[in-house]
Amino acid sequence: MTEALILTELRGDGARRTGLVTLNRPKQLNALNDELMDQLGAALLAWDADDSVGCIVVTGSEKAFAAGADIAAMASKSFIEAYQGDFITRNWETMRRIRKPVIAAVAGFALGGGCELAMMCDFIIAADTARFGQPEIKLGIIPGAGGTQRLPRAVGKSKAMDLVLTGRMMDAAEAERAGLVSRVVPADKLLAEALAAGELICAMGGPSVMMAKECVNRAFESGLTDGVSYERRMFHALFATADQKEGMEAFLAKRKAVFKHA
Ligand code: HXC
């Protein structure tokens, strides 16, 4: 039987619920190996295709969101194994195909591939115990799951260089100041806070949520003129949805909108 390296459950009691996935290799501080990433990718794709799921939260343990890619599994890898096996691209990039919002709820270590996995999510809510870093340089490698690209976009060149070149960790307060995380909460409130954000998102109109995510991501892939033009087309398209009529009519009637996600 395949070992469950992730735990999955649905949370919330609305029409659309939050998919909660917990990384589950606690003894190895959730070090991310191929099997775990395969299981994570499969869970994310299944929820993305499930109309009853509106949002996804990815979390780890109290001690570690994930302490990086699994060093024991990587140590003897050859160039040709990494290259021909499409290491990282093959299963880590599944996260990029997920169209519903994904929130990272991070407590403890988020290092190397763990930090990169968190950055692939749409936003990061951090416990005050969270520590972020890209320590790959200490292993004679560099970040390989997008860290050299996403970190500077999140925190700017100077801090990204500092973290990537020295391998030092930053705490949750520094990560919040730098713009890597959206908010910092007490560790014992982390999951509740992330699930509450998930529930809010689940109650919004599905098409507008999906288009909002797509448009914000576009900001990192195009120039301002193209990005704004892309946003404007999406904005116009939303006037074809029932949810836009419901949202605006509900506001004018001073009642709560009930979206049909259509
Ligand atoms: C494999 C790991 C691991 C990892 C921790 N462990 N991190 N195993 N891969 N990335 C294992 C340890 O070997 C140990 O196993 C157990 O988890 C507990 O770890 P300790 O070191 O005993 O805990 P502690 O003293 O609290 O130190 C915590 C830590 C340290 C500071 C996070 O474990 C650490 O520095 N880990 C490596 C962090 C790192 O370099 N990450 C980047 C990896 S490279 P045993 O069997 O001894 O109990 C990477 C590449 C990204 O991520 C590019 C592609 C994605």
Side-chain angles (χ1 to χ4, degrees), residues 92-125:
W92 287 62
E93 300 266 323
T94 308
M95 180 68 88
R96 293 185 57 194
R97 290 163 48 200
I98 304 306
R99 299 177 71 200
K100 291 172 184 169
V102 183
I103 304 169
V106 175
F109 298 112
L111 302 177
C115 185
E116 292 172 299
L117 180 65
M119 288 193 289
M120 283 183 196
C121 298
D122 295 309
F123 63 96
I124 302 173
I125 301 180

Side-chain angles (χ1 to χ4, degrees), residues 19-23 40 44 56-60 65 95 102-106 117 121:
L20 171 64
V21 53
T22 305
L23 309 177
L40 178 62
L44 295 174
I56 296 165
V57 171
V58 180
T59 197
F65 176 74
M95 180 68 88
V102 183
I103 304 169
V106 175
L117 180 65
C121 298

Side-chain angles (χ1 to χ4, degrees), residues 71-146:
I71 299 169
M74 265 186 309
S76 64
K77 206 182 260 303
S78 67
F79 162 74
I80 210 68
E81 283 165 352
Y83 181 70
Q84 286 189 337
D86 212 10
F87 184 39
I88 304 304
T89 315
R90 188 186 69 75
N91 47 10
W92 287 62
E93 300 266 323
T94 308
M95 180 68 88
R96 293 185 57 194
R97 290 163 48 200
I98 304 306
R99 299 177 71 200
K100 291 172 184 169
V102 183
I103 304 169
V106 175
F109 298 112
L111 302 177
C115 185
E116 292 172 299
L117 180 65
M119 288 193 289
M120 283 183 196
C121 298
D122 295 309
F123 63 96
I124 302 173
I125 301 180
D128 49 14
T129 57
R131 302 185 76 188
F132 298 87
Q134 298 289 161
E136 289 90 342
I137 201 89
K138 296 196 229 167
L139 300 170
I141 57 167
I142 62 171

Side-chain angles (χ1 to χ4, degrees), residues 177-198:
R177 279 198 306 278
L180 180 65
V181 309
S182 69
R183 35 182 143 152
V184 178
V185 301
D188 61 352
K189 303 272 183 331
L190 175 68
L191 200 53
E193 192 92 7
L195 290 170

